[in-house]
Amino acid sequence: MNSLWRDIKVYNNHAFIVSEAAGHGMQIFDLTKLRNVVSPPINFTSDANYLGFGKCHNIAIDEVNGYAYAIGYWTYSATGNGVRQGGPHIINIQNPTNPVFVTEYNAQGYTHDAQIVVYNGSDSQHTGKQILLGSNEDKLVILDVTNKNNVSLISTFTYSNTGYTHQGWLTENQKYFLLGDEADESNFFFNTKQ
């Protein structure tokens, strides 16, 4: 099955590719192979495939520590029926062509998009921790993912007139999280908020 939706993130000269095509998993491609292409075009194949999930909407990577976070993913039963999971699905990619499943965290529901940082903002209680900020459809979820075997909830944030908590990004000083709601204007008929 084909899909128009794919997401690609890069870590350690490797592209990590997910898609909403059923059974796609995560493809890994060594980008250094592109350096010496003499006579393009050339068809390449993936260097590794991770099949710990079926299809996936998005991927985020902690480039400092070498972990991929599959978000918006589906698993499949023996009968082939898709099951939408929560998220994130955490994978150790420190050796890019040998990805290793670590854990999943589903307690806060479906994660549509995420940013993972080593926190260095104004809250000294969390300085140096690996923090995931997840846009979870109807709320922002903040997780401490430092200990992958004991992911813990730091906080959730909801807001009025929620359409679809779609994505966001921390400011450079990590003081503010800029959140984008995909459907609040069309659902509640007001202009974009700041």
Side-chain angles (χ1 to χ4, degrees):
M1 177 177 172
N2 291 326
S3 172
L4 295 176
W5 184 262
R6 297 183 188 283
D7 192 25
I8 302 170
K9 298 293 189 309
V10 174
Y11 168 74
N12 198 18
N13 292 318
H14 289 75
F16 295 83
I17 306 152
V18 297
S19 171
E20 286 193 356
H24 184 277
M26 178 177 69
Q27 296 176 340
I28 300 138
F29 178 74
D30 181 351
L31 294 168
T32 64
K33 294 193 302 190
L34 301 175
R35 293 178 179 162
N36 299 312
V37 173
V38 178
S39 301
I42 294 176
N43 290 327
F44 291 97
T45 58
S46 59
D47 294 289
N49 294 295
Y50 174 83
L51 300 175
F53 53 83
K55 64 182 183 176
C56 184
H57 181 73
N58 209 339
I59 184 170
I61 293 184
D62 172 358
E63 295 178 32
V64 174
N65 297 290
Y67 287 89
Y69 294 76
I71 39 190
Y73 68 95
W74 293 62
T75 57
Y76 289 87
S77 67
T79 62
N81 296 322
V83 178
R84 184 173 124 165
Q85 299 295 326
H89 179 100
I90 305 172
I91 309 152
N92 182 327
I93 57 168
Q94 293 163 4
N95 178 351
T97 56
N98 187 29
V100 177
F101 171 74
V102 179
T103 194
E104 296 173 347
Y105 179 87
N106 298 313
Q108 292 297 316
Y110 180 85
T111 302
H112 181 77
D113 196 7
Q115 180 185 16
I116 300 90
V117 299
V118 175
Y119 185 73
N120 193 27
S122 56
D123 187 348
S124 61
Q125 178 182 357
H126 300 289
T127 300
K129 294 180 181 177
Q130 298 166 39
I131 303 297
L132 181 144
L133 297 107
S135 298
N136 281 35
E137 297 185 301
D138 62 352
K139 62 189 168 199
L140 171 65
V141 173
I142 304 170
L143 302 175
D144 181 344
V145 294
T146 307
N147 179 350
K148 308 294 182 286
N149 295 311
N150 188 25
V151 173
S152 61
L153 177 67
I154 295 173
S155 185
T156 61
F157 172 77
T158 58
Y159 52 97
S160 62
N161 297 322
T162 303
Y164 191 89
T165 308
H166 189 267
Q167 85 286 333
W169 205 254
L170 280 173
T171 56
E172 191 171 329
N173 65 1
Q174 298 185 347
K175 186 173 182 179
Y176 299 102
F177 185 75
L178 308 176
L179 185 138
D181 188 304
E182 184 177 46
D184 56 352
E185 296 93 349
S186 59
N187 289 357
F188 302 104
F189 308 106
F190 52 70
N191 293 330
T192 299
K193 297 183 286 187
Q194 294 182 359

